[in-house]
Each structure stands twice: as C-alpha cells, then as structure tokens.
Amino acid sequence: MAFEDIGIDLGTASVQVCVEGHGIVLEEPSVVAVNTKNNTICAVGEEAYKMIGRTPAYIRAIHPLEDGVISSYEVAEKMVQYFLKKCCKNSVLKPRVVLCVPSGVTEVEARAVVDAAVASGARRVYLIEEPVAAALGADIDISQPNGRMVVDIGGGTTDIAVISLSGVVTKSSIKLAGQKMDQAVIRYIRQSRGILIGAKTAEQIKKEIGSVYMEEGDPDPSMEAKGRDLALGLPRKFTITRRELTPVLQEMALQIIQSVQSVVERTPPELVGDIFVNGLLLTGGGAMIDGLDRFIQARTRIRAVLAKDPVRCVARGTVKAFQLLDVLQDGFFTPSIHIH
C-alpha cells in the first residue's frame, strides 16, 4: 500500500497521523526515551510514555516539542522518522506531508519542522496553521465570506483565529494549554497538601474531576490519588474534590478568554457579527475539560460549541488541506517554506 498524502498533527502532547482515504492511522504520545550514556533512542511514542517517571537516571523520557515548537531538533527528527516509517512500511513512493504549526510560529521554528519532515523521507512538505486545520477537520466551509472563530486548545499552545474567505483575518497564539493546567494542579496539591505528584497523576485528576465552571447544586465528585509527602518523604494518599480544583483551572481558562477577547477586539465589526451568530468552535484535547464551553460563553457572551471530535479535528484537517492547495491564501501555506 503506497501512502502518498499524509497529514501530521505534531502536537506537544501527542502525534496523530492521518492518511487520505484511511483516516487516522496512528495516534501516540509525542515522547522519546533517550539513553544519555550512548545517545541512542530506546523507545518512541506509547512505549516511551510508559517510561515517564519510571526510568533509571541515564534514560530520559523527552518531549521533543515544547509549547508547540521543536525544542530538541535531533530527537524530533527521529520521532517523525519513526512515525512515518510505521505508517508507510510498504510504501515505495515518498509521501507529501502537511504538518500543523501554531499560529505564532516563527520562520526559524517553521524551518525546523520542515527540515525534520524532509530528513524523515517526505517528498514535499507544507505547513498549515492549527486553527485552520481544525476548521477544515470540523467540516466548516472556510471559503465563504462568513467569519468563523476557532479556538484550538492543545497540549502546549492555544491558537485562536478568525477565518473568512479562505484567509486568516486575525489570530493569536499563547503558550498555555493542557500541560500548563497539569502544572497548575501539581502546584496546588504541593501547596495545599504538602504532597508532590507526577505529571501523569495531575493529568488524570484534571480529566476525571477537573472543571472550570460550577454552579450551585452541580455534582462535586472527588478522587483519591497518591503522591510523595514532602515532609516525611513517604508515599501518601489524598482526596481532592472538583469544587476545590475549579478555581485553579479557572485561572488558566481566564487567560485563554483574555486572548479570545483580544482577537475579537481586532476583528472587523461585520465579522464580529458573524461570530456572534456562528459561535466559537472549540477544538483540541484541552477543550474537553468540563465546563469550558459554559465558562467561555458566560464571560464573552458568545456561544461556544465543542467540535464533534475535538481531539482529532486538526489531524483530519491536515489531509483535507491537500484538496485546497490552490485555494488557500498565504498564511495557511507560506511559500517561503515549501519544499519541492
């Protein structure tokens, strides 16, 4: 089977690979385990993720992307290479690849992403901004003269864009998303309980009982978790409730809302009217936290709608972009970083 067109959502937390006609063929954490003694790769993806917090000192589980951009070029190249080979085992032809980047990516950062894909065997590489890919993946017709606002909350960045007539009108990208929320949970439990928990436990707490919007009478589930008592240095159990955690997560969500308001302020009035009618489209794994849509709606007075499959919207949109290469305006695909 020869896969010629591949879309990759190269996220801070996970990598999704989508192939035209086959849908999403791979979805794994963007983690690489490196042996620092001989500088070799021990594991990539799911295997490496299982090693986080459980490795000897000389093996490091690395996230090659931080805040949506490549922080370790060599490791990122090995990771992309591994995933492409996994998807194109029997392919003779080198694939064309569309890669997602945050809205605020610099040319240097974009070049690093392109180079990593080319070194991994791509024939031609295009870059697409995450909110645009998310809109395409959510089946929005972006070619119409109708303002649509997309808020894509990933693992490392939140990207906000207003799209009309196949062009980005206004946009913003902030380095605050799912992982920063996890860090806020870790800080809170450390300060309130004197217990240190790991990133995996924090993510589990956020997903299971985390909420950014609670009203009187809403259910208040609790969760038991384990960590290390900082005073005694011993394992300790603790219980945390949703209501206790809500203000911690709300603080993070408010920064996203401020960015949404900033983008709206810079958007032409006619398009603001469209956004008021169409609502905000929320995509990305970070958008799935309980109550975020209601919290955004309460603060901005704009209806917030969670996409049908928010986690996979961006990956699906990357493949759809191949059908629109001649239509999409500059800003979606930047000509200076095409590789032929």
Side-chain angles (χ1 to χ4, degrees):
M1 190 181 293
F3 292 160
E4 292 188 57
D5 290 339
I6 295 177
I8 302 177
D9 178 10
L10 201 61
T12 305
S14 66
V15 174
Q16 293 175 354
V17 180
C18 192
V19 177
E20 193 160 16
H22 297 270
I24 291 173
V25 296
L26 184 144
E27 189 173 353
E28 292 193 33
S30 50
V31 183
V32 179
V34 180
N35 185 327
T36 55
K37 282 184 177 177
N38 51 19
N39 206 27
T40 56
I41 305 292
C42 303
V44 181
E46 195 64 53
E47 280 184 53
Y49 181 74
K50 289 173 185 173
M51 295 181 181
I52 293 176
R54 293 183 165 91
T55 60
Y58 63 89
I59 294 179
R60 291 177 59 215
I62 297 172
H63 286 273
L65 287 99
E66 288 180 10
D67 299 330
V69 295
I70 290 177
S71 57
S72 176
Y73 173 75
E74 285 183 16
V75 178
E77 185 184 312
K78 296 282 185 189
M79 184 177 74
V80 174
Q81 201 166 7
Y82 170 82
F83 288 135
L84 278 177
K85 278 184 178 175
K86 200 170 180 180
C87 296
C88 310
K89 286 177 185 173
N90 306 316
S91 180
V92 178
L93 296 170
K94 286 187 172 184
R96 291 192 306 170
V97 174
V98 166
L99 277 161
C100 278
V101 290
S103 296
V105 73
T106 65
E107 185 120 351
V108 173
E109 292 164 344
R111 172 59 65 181
V113 175
V114 170
D115 288 347
V118 171
S120 303
R123 179 172 93 247
R124 188 178 295 181
V125 181
Y126 301 94
L127 299 185
I128 185 170
E129 294 179 17
E130 283 173 5
V132 181
L136 291 173
D139 297 322
I140 289 175
D141 184 358
I142 61 173
S143 65
Q144 298 301 311
N146 188 6
R148 304 301 296 254
M149 185 178 234
V150 179
V151 181
D152 180 60
I153 307 169
T157 60
T158 293
D159 291 279
I160 303 152
V162 175
I163 303 162
S164 178
L165 284 172
S166 298
V168 175
V169 182
T170 48
K171 63 183 179 181
S172 177
S173 180
I174 59 170
K175 296 184 188 303
L176 185 150
Q179 289 184 347
K180 287 284 197 301
M181 291 183 182
D182 297 342
Q183 290 165 19
V185 172
I186 292 170
R187 279 196 306 273
Y188 174 75
I189 290 169
R190 183 173 188 153
Q191 290 163 5
S192 65
R193 304 282 201 286
I195 296 173
L196 182 65
I197 62 169
K200 278 187 180 179
T201 304
E203 185 182 17
Q204 189 182 0
I205 290 170
K206 178 190 73 178
K207 284 181 175 178
E208 288 194 20
I209 63 162
S211 179
V212 296
Y213 189 83
M214 285 188 75
E215 294 178 331
E216 285 298 323
D218 281 355
D220 185 21
S222 62
M223 178 180 168
E224 190 178 78
K226 303 178 192 74
R228 187 176 79 236
D229 190 306
L230 290 167
L232 303 173
L234 298 171
R236 190 173 138 199
K237 283 183 181 179
F238 65 95
T239 302
I240 189 162
T241 66
R242 173 175 286 180
R243 197 167 292 280
E244 183 184 0
L245 205 55
T246 296
V248 179
L249 297 173
Q250 264 186 3
E251 196 178 324
M252 300 283 109
L254 280 169
Q255 294 180 54
I256 293 171
I257 288 169
Q258 284 169 6
S259 289
V260 168
Q261 289 170 334
S262 167
V263 170
V264 171
E265 283 170 9
R266 291 183 279 116
T267 301
E270 287 80 5
L271 292 180
V272 173
D274 292 341
I275 292 165
F276 190 78
V277 173
N278 297 326
L280 296 174
L281 180 71
L282 297 174
T283 66
M288 295 178 72
I289 189 164
D290 181 77
L292 184 60
D293 51 350
R294 291 183 293 155
F295 190 51
I296 290 174
Q297 195 164 311
R299 292 295 178 127
T300 63
R301 308 289 185 212
I302 301 171
R303 183 169 52 92
V305 181
L306 189 65
K308 193 175 182 182
D309 188 1
V311 177
R312 297 178 182 85
C313 265
V314 173
R316 290 209 174 98
T318 54
V319 165
K320 286 190 177 183
F322 281 109
Q323 302 161 16
L324 304 168
L325 289 178
D326 300 328
V327 179
L328 294 176
Q329 300 297 315
D330 187 22
F332 291 87
F333 299 88
T334 310
S336 59
I337 47 182
H338 280 189
I339 298 293
H340 296 275

